[in-house]
Amino acid sequence: MCIFCKIVEKELPSNTVLENEEFMAFHDIYPKAPIHVLVIPKKHVESFHEVDSDTMAKMTPFIQEVARTLGVDKTGYRLVTNIGSDGGQEVLHLHFHLLGGGKLRWDHGHGDDPHKAL
Ligand code: AMP
Ligand code: ZN
């Protein structure tokens, strides 16, 4: 079982933001912005490239609800999903990174200090 499936099954702890029957949002353990939340489908899907359109259609309002819950819906945020090896995907269970909490820079290599992402 992959680590995000273990989080879904509560075999691993997570700092959950929002959850329903099909989706879950929890804080990233190594935040790269003041707000860094991961949004996943509960069923195991390897990446965006494998996800079906029905799941994506339902995931969209869930992600919007997560943004409202975090209070970034008005100020804005960034959604990122890494796909495969060249995309830098480390956990092979589809997840969207929701980043926000300040004006995000648009570049690479800002390291792991959350505030350097601003
Ligand atoms: P990616 O490189 O797109 O696959 O991103 C994987 C993300 O999962 C990274 O930002 C990690 O910090 C995060 N991560 C790994 N393990 C955990 C965990 N147990 N709980 C929360 N976030 C995690
Ligand atoms: Zn999984």
Side-chain angles (χ1 to χ4, degrees):
M1 204 191 294
C2 89
I3 60 166
F4 289 175
C5 282
K6 285 183 181 165
I7 285 175
V8 170
E9 296 299 326
K10 317 274 187 222
E11 286 178 24
L12 281 177
S14 73
N15 188 355
T16 306
V17 174
L18 202 65
E19 185 175 358
N20 68 16
E21 272 200 4
E22 290 177 277
F23 305 103
M24 194 171 170
F26 52 91
H27 288 277
D28 196 293
I29 31 166
Y30 300 116
K32 292 175 182 65
I35 291 173
H36 186 173
V37 164
L38 302 174
V39 188
I40 66 167
K42 288 189 171 177
K43 74 171 175 195
H44 184 89
V45 175
E46 188 165 309
S47 80
F48 177 79
H49 197 71
E50 282 80 28
V51 74
D52 61 82
S53 54
D54 182 53
T55 302
M56 276 312 304
K58 291 189 216 150
M59 204 168 178
T60 298
F62 183 79
I63 294 171
Q64 291 163 345
E65 184 63 28
V66 171
R68 278 192 291 276
T69 303
L70 294 166
V72 297
D73 54 308
K74 302 282 193 303
T75 48
Y77 56 94
R78 182 171 297 156
L79 267 188
V80 177
T81 188
N82 297 324
I83 300 151
S85 168
D86 280 5
Q89 186 180 5
E90 288 176 359
V91 178
L92 299 181
H93 180 132
L94 170 65
H95 52 283
F96 285 87
H97 298 256
L98 192 161
L99 301 152
K103 204 157 185 63
L104 299 168
R105 287 191 343 222
W106 184 239
D107 63 2
H108 299 285
H110 48 62
D112 53 9
D113 179 346
H115 296 286
K116 285 190 180 157
L118 300 182

